Amino acid sequence: MSADLLRAQQNAVVEMVSIGPVAEELAARFAAAGHRLYLVGGSVRDALLDRDISDLDFTTDARPDAVLAVLKGWTDAIWDTGIAFGTIGARRRGTTVEITTFRADAYDRVTRNPVVRFGDTIEADLVRRDFTVNAMAVELTGEQRRFVDPHGGLAALAAGTLDTPATPQESFADDPLRMLRAARFVSQLGLTPAPRVLVAMTEMAGELSRITRERVQTELSKLLLGTHPRRAIELMVDTGLCEHVLPEVPAMRLAIDEHMQHKDVYTHSLVVMEQAIDRETDGPDLVLRLAALLHDIGKPDTRRKEPDGRVSFHHHEVVGAKMVRRRLRELRYPKSVVDDVAQLVFLHLRFHGYSGGEWTDSAVRRYVADAGPLLERLHKLVRSDCTTRNRRRAAALQRSYDSLEERISRLREQEALDAIRPDLDGNDIMALLGLPPGPQVGKAYKHLLALRMERGPLSREEAEAELRAWAAENGVDTGSA
């Protein structure tokens, strides 16, 4: 390529990167102090992809103390929690910036923590970055902006290729988390790993054991919330990474779906996840996506061959919910996420027990009560779990679920279906039976709740009569009541 053509391409790239007034002001301050400032990494990549950029990442030849001096009096807020690694964070008029001194780190390759060493050139800084698409920079402090791309990141981005500046083996040995980041970029950006990256990921998957569970969970969540999570999960399974993150997912390849319509439960689960994503209405939903991916992980442990030759997975939803709790806790997910995903897995088969249309009011009440605030997600999961290629059967299942939702709507009009409580509360029970707080009050409450589920709302007189009858039948000492 001629020098003129290269310069023309670089100028065109620079024009594509819109940095905004905050970056312009920052560059002017660094230039006035005699330092260089570069927009770098994901900020350049996302600008070239015309993606929204909420935060700006910069690198500079200025050492941290000099960076603090440049920022003094200009920022609305500043934090230096990363100063040991050369990173200063700041906020200006609602824009967050991170400025990191050139780095030329070495890694001990036992942990993922670098031995921090500051560098002197942008080229040395870029070669230590994870992927070539993140190893591009735009210099903002020269006489004119300059695009810096020593590792072909622009060409890789145009080709949709994910490769590393150094060899993948070197890069992943330095920081094994980069292998999960590769899967994340497959999901978020639709990139395809270069063949040598795939080889290294497969050879080095076990190195993930060096990474804390919290960091693994963060990357897993980001890739699940991306645009192409199925591709990312398939990459993790094919390279062996998933064995060290969600081993229950590749284990599903061993179980043949009972409908015999899919090669295995693993493929079925990926399809369910995609169909659940299609039903999202308020943006990516981590709980729904996790539940869809993991809803059948109990099948390998419950697989049985019946006398008639069919394969069954009795109670796989119960086993699966327990497995979900164990795995998500191990990955340090928040308790609310663990509880919600496990409950959706536990409930995902409930509908099929009534899919013939014989739903009673009592069954509808229990379905709504057990789902609680997860009801809308449960609707999406159950509908997504239909992956049969038999169009008539699929249509029949959808009609049956339409009927259930109609029943729920009708009951909602008649009673407070979303907040089902006994017709008498704990205070009423204690007053009527003369009981102090304790286990007997709880048992009475559960009895009245079961009646509420079975018969719907009772009048005050009916509820009190039922409570007294229960107390008499169970020999409850009612004191002086």
Side-chain angles (χ1 to χ4, degrees), residues 145-446:
R145 294 180 192 169
R146 179 173 67 97
F147 180 55
V148 185
D149 182 22
H151 305 288
L154 180 61
L157 195 62
T161 300
L162 194 65
D163 205 348
T164 52
T167 68
Q169 286 78 7
E170 290 177 279
S171 182
F172 299 156
D174 283 347
D175 184 359
L177 189 65
R178 290 172 173 174
M179 293 184 284
L180 272 185
R181 285 171 60 83
R184 194 235 296 180
F185 289 132
V186 166
S187 176
Q188 290 180 330
L189 305 177
L191 301 178
T192 300
R196 68 173 190 161
V197 171
L198 291 174
V199 170
M201 290 173 69
T202 304
E203 292 174 347
M204 303 176 69
E207 293 294 311
L208 273 182
S209 62
R210 290 161 45 191
I211 307 302
T212 65
R213 295 289 88 186
E214 290 84 357
R215 290 186 178 275
V216 168
Q217 180 248 101
T218 297
E219 290 298 327
L220 175 63
S221 296
K222 288 179 179 178
L223 75 83
L224 284 173
L225 292 172
T227 307
H228 311 283
R230 175 172 180 168
R231 288 183 55 189
I233 295 296
E234 289 174 332
L235 173 64
M236 291 174 61
V237 170
D238 292 345
T239 58
L241 286 177
C242 213
E243 295 286 352
H244 305 278
V245 181
L246 288 173
E248 297 82 2
V249 171
M252 289 192 289
R253 291 177 298 180
L254 304 177
I256 305 301
D257 186 84
E258 68 268 34
H259 304 305
M260 307 302 288
Q261 297 296 320
H262 300 279
K263 184 171 68 174
D264 51 30
V265 176
Y266 164 67
T267 303
H268 163 77
S269 298
L270 293 177
V271 173
V272 172
M273 181 176 68
E274 288 185 312
Q275 294 186 164
I277 290 170
D278 289 341
R279 288 183 164 87
E280 290 175 340
T281 53
D282 298 313
D285 184 338
L286 180 62
V287 167
L288 178 62
R289 294 185 183 198
L290 277 168
L293 176 64
L294 303 177
H295 75 285
D296 274 348
I297 62 170
K299 281 189 171 181
D301 286 355
T302 58
R303 185 175 186 267
R304 299 289 184 274
K305 191 169 184 179
E306 303 296 343
D308 62 1
R310 289 176 61 84
V311 175
S312 68
F313 303 94
H314 295 308
H315 305 301
H316 76 267
E317 75 282 11
V318 178
V319 173
K322 293 178 180 178
M323 292 170 68
V324 162
R325 285 189 180 278
R326 184 167 58 248
R327 179 56 55 197
L328 297 189
R329 284 171 178 163
E330 193 267 343
L331 286 169
R332 308 292 192 270
Y333 272 99
K335 183 179 184 299
S336 60
V337 173
V338 175
D339 290 345
D340 287 352
V341 176
Q343 184 70 350
L344 286 170
V345 171
F346 178 72
L347 292 174
H348 84 274
L349 280 187
R350 180 77 61 85
F351 159 75
H352 295 283
Y354 298 92
S355 58
E358 60 275 12
W359 284 81
T360 63
D361 286 352
S362 174
V364 173
R365 292 187 193 102
R366 292 184 185 279
Y367 192 79
V368 173
D370 289 347
L374 297 172
L375 184 61
E376 291 305 315
R377 283 178 170 135
L378 184 59
H379 290 335
K380 294 171 184 176
L381 177 60
V382 173
R383 288 186 181 276
S384 300
D385 195 23
C386 176
T387 60
T388 178
R389 296 174 185 172
N390 184 317
R391 293 184 179 180
R392 292 178 63 184
R393 186 171 185 276
L397 284 170
Q398 297 298 337
R399 285 197 301 271
S400 183
Y401 207 86
D402 289 343
S403 176
L404 170 60
E405 291 203 59
E406 290 170 3
R407 292 285 302 280
I408 292 172
S409 295
R410 287 201 299 272
L411 277 178
R412 272 182 174 148
E413 294 175 359
Q414 300 168 16
E415 51 190 270
L417 196 58
D418 295 309
I420 294 178
R421 298 286 186 275
D423 297 283
L424 303 175
D425 63 20
N427 291 327
D428 294 330
I429 293 169
M430 289 187 288
L432 285 166
L433 299 183
L435 293 175
Q440 287 182 322
V441 177
K443 291 177 182 179
Y445 186 94
K446 289 181 179 178

